[in-house]
Amino acid sequence: MDSARVVSKTISDFRNHCFEEGDKFWYAAIVPQSTLSGLDDTEEYEYVELSAPEVDEDGTLAQIIAFSDDHDVAEFSTDEGRPWACIRTRLQREIGLDPDDGDDDENMEVVIRECETETLEGLNVHRVSAWEQEDRDITTQGLAGYISAGDMDDTDALKRGDVCELINPETGSRIQLPIETYDHKNRKDNTIRINGITRKLLRVDSKDEGEDNEVRLRILTEVDEEEGTVERASKWLGRRFVDYSYSNFRVLPGYDRDEGRNVVRMNEDAMKGLGIEENDRVLLSWLRDEKRRRNVRCQSGWEEDKDLEPEATPESSYGEEESLSVRIPSTERDNLNISVGDSIQIRRDMRYQAGKQVSLSAFGILGVVVGTGQLINMVFEQITFAYVVSSVSIVLVLSVFTVWLVMNPIRQKCRTPE
């Protein structure tokens, strides 16, 4: 495997002409084209390992992309000719560098190594047909990519339902989806079926819509931390009492004023689809990276912000128009290890919704408890063990039932319209 050495710098060390539009916001290693070309088995937007020179173990996995054609390697390199690479500060720290000591080029050297990742290359994109959509409730079931059983069987590391990363090889945009097989007379190997919204998010076409109709599928082999018993119980109760709907959104740069404020912005229609209101809290996450899930407040964008407006989607999607974009400031993107152009999953925070609704209905719930106590006092003439057990049981049951009723309007907000 080939490798290359660069000196890590941040965005402020380069000029705007060094980047293609949006490139400087990538959570990746941006290198001169000559450096990328020196890695014989690595193409743009593929993954490499980044590490400090003295580190022998596996490095940090990141995408690699090239500067724009206007970038001058000679201008942005050390006196010894070592090229500079643009790497975000948080990624520098993950590699093991100290950005606070960045004046010393020797201390900011990074080794870029080629690496092998489990991928399916050049999958031709086909649209998802009605037979795959007819029984799916997109508010409570994840969207999926469908490949042939042959492609699934040929890949030992991939099983049905595994979450994988789909990458547009032309733009580097990513989305994570469960991968399923399908049984249909038109099934073909080396193809993947995804719905219109997913194609729109990735900026790819189906075979009958255009020429940009290939994606790369990366199998995520990183070890997941399994949910604990408390987390599973909390999610089970949350779905029964509060519920949620979710969707995938393409990441846009956030407003400067939102940096460090724990705020994201989306279209009001998109918020309605998630069953939330202005200033409600939502969860942002990669499906296979729950430990980096972010809990943030959601607000609408400025009126003149046309990039958050709904986009027309192909007829094979679930609607004619969808609000597909969300503005996320760099402080939140860095915590999630995502880049502008990626598509992440967003859903409402069930705990926040429960607390919000219960607090509004506190007096009604208190009335049930007091009324139940009065009823039990009428049945029992004196305090006995049976009195205590009955009191606690009845109050508990009626309180749970009351809370379930109180939460009904919240649950209905994320139901699929008839």
Side-chain angles (χ1 to χ4, degrees):
M1 291 291 180
D2 290 333
S3 64
R5 286 201 180 199
V6 296
V7 172
S8 177
K9 298 289 184 177
T10 56
I11 295 171
S12 59
D13 294 307
F14 298 89
R15 300 177 186 172
N16 285 336
H17 71 261
C18 296
F19 306 95
E20 300 288 354
E21 184 179 357
D23 278 359
K24 60 184 177 181
F25 299 110
W26 280 74
Y27 196 83
I30 307 177
V31 301
Q33 181 62 55
S34 57
T35 300
L36 178 60
S37 300
L39 303 174
D40 292 337
D41 296 325
T42 300
E43 298 181 2
E44 192 169 25
Y45 304 118
E46 289 189 341
Y47 282 83
V48 293
E49 289 182 354
L50 309 177
S51 64
E54 66 276 6
V55 177
D56 295 329
E57 58 201 42
D58 293 342
T60 301
L61 206 64
Q63 284 181 296
I64 185 170
I65 61 179
F67 285 113
S68 71
D69 294 337
D70 295 329
H71 174 74
D72 185 356
V73 181
E75 180 181 358
F76 299 98
S77 61
T78 65
D79 294 339
E80 294 75 25
R82 182 84 71 195
W84 290 1
C86 182
I87 300 177
R88 300 288 294 274
T89 301
R90 187 179 180 89
L91 183 53
Q92 289 179 353
R93 290 195 173 97
E94 288 190 22
I95 295 170
L97 305 179
D98 183 4
D100 298 327
D101 192 25
D103 292 337
D104 188 345
D105 289 343
E106 185 176 346
N107 292 335
M108 297 301 290
E109 282 196 3
V110 174
V111 178
I112 301 175
R113 295 185 178 89
E114 292 186 314
C115 63
E116 293 183 358
T117 57
E118 293 278 356
T119 59
L120 297 179
E121 299 282 352
L123 294 178
N124 292 309
V125 175
H126 291 230
R127 64 172 58 185
V128 175
S129 305
W131 53 268
E132 288 142 342
Q133 298 182 14
E134 58 185 6
D135 296 326
R136 295 185 72 81
D137 175 2
I138 64 168
T139 67
T140 56
Q141 298 182 41
L143 304 179
Y146 298 88
I147 64 175
S148 71
D151 283 338
M152 181 77 73
D153 294 339
D154 289 342
T155 310
D156 294 336
L158 182 59
K159 298 180 178 59
R160 287 194 59 177
D162 282 356
V163 174
C164 295
E165 194 170 85
L166 299 184
I167 305 171
N168 182 333
E170 299 297 323
T171 67
S173 297
R174 303 173 297 174
I175 191 172
Q176 291 185 355
L177 293 175
I179 301 300
E180 302 282 354
T181 60
Y182 68 101
D183 185 15
H184 189 264
K185 63 181 180 180
N186 293 326
R187 65 183 181 275
K188 296 180 180 178
D189 290 343
N190 204 38
T191 64
I192 185 168
R193 290 181 177 267
I194 51 180
N195 80 336
I197 293 177
T198 305
R199 298 199 303 275
K200 196 77 172 181
L201 289 168
L202 284 173
R203 307 286 195 192
V204 296
D205 305 312
S206 68
K207 66 179 182 64
D208 51 356
E209 290 174 337
E211 297 181 355
D212 297 325
N213 54 14
E214 285 192 357
V215 296
R216 179 187 302 138
L217 185 152
R218 184 171 79 95
I219 301 169
L220 303 178
T221 55
E222 295 87 353
V223 177
D224 290 336
E225 294 182 4
E226 294 186 3
E227 287 184 325
T229 303
V230 175
E231 289 81 3
R232 289 196 296 269
S234 177
K235 182 180 290 187
W236 186 89
L237 287 172
R239 293 305 294 264
R240 271 70 187 169
F241 280 79
V242 187
D243 211 350
Y244 63 83
S245 58
Y246 56 77
S247 187
N248 289 297
F249 292 84
R250 184 190 304 115
V251 177
L252 300 177
Y255 302 146
D256 290 341
R257 62 173 293 185
D258 290 336
E259 294 291 339
R261 293 183 58 230
N262 198 229
V263 168
V264 300
R265 296 183 183 267
M266 64 174 62
N267 184 278
E268 291 183 1
D269 290 339
M271 285 194 279
K272 184 177 180 180
L274 295 177
I276 63 173
E277 299 173 349
E278 186 88 7
N279 286 314
D280 280 354
R281 302 197 73 85
V282 295
L283 297 177
L284 318 178
S285 66
W286 280 113
L287 295 185
R288 283 287 299 271
D289 206 353
E290 295 294 319
K291 62 184 178 182
R292 285 198 174 96
R293 180 187 292 173
R294 296 294 295 172
N295 185 307
V296 299
R297 193 172 299 280
C298 186
Q299 297 179 350
S300 56
W302 295 339
E303 291 185 4
E304 63 271 21
D305 190 350
K306 301 302 181 185
D307 288 336
L308 293 181
E309 292 300 313
E311 300 181 30
T313 52
E315 60 182 12
S316 59
S317 69
Y318 295 106
E320 294 182 356
E321 289 188 343
E322 293 287 338
S323 299
L324 301 178
S325 299
V326 59
R327 289 202 174 277
I328 303 180
S330 63
T331 46
E332 297 300 332
R333 297 199 307 271
D334 283 353
N335 283 317
L336 289 165
N337 286 10
I338 60 173
S339 303
V340 170
D342 290 340
S343 297
I344 65 168
Q345 186 185 101
I346 302 180
R347 69 172 175 87
R348 69 183 187 182
D349 182 354
M350 291 188 292
R351 292 182 181 179
Y352 174 84
Q353 293 292 334
K356 176 182 174 181
Q357 190 68 8
V358 169
S359 64
L360 292 174
S361 307
F363 286 108
I365 297 172
L366 182 61
V368 171
V369 175
V370 173
T372 302
Q374 294 294 331
L375 177 62
I376 294 174
N377 286 333
M378 293 172 61
V379 175
F380 293 90
E381 296 181 354
Q382 58 183 355
I383 297 178
T384 63
F385 179 75
Y387 169 86
V388 175
V389 173
S390 300
S391 298
V392 173
S393 300
I394 294 174
V395 168
L396 181 60
V397 170
L398 288 180
S399 297
V400 170
F401 181 68
T402 302
V403 171
W404 186 83
L405 288 178
V406 164
M407 298 304 302
N408 188 58
I410 296 297
R411 290 194 299 274
Q412 294 304 315
K413 282 186 177 181
C414 63
R415 296 301 187 209
T416 303
E418 295 295 337

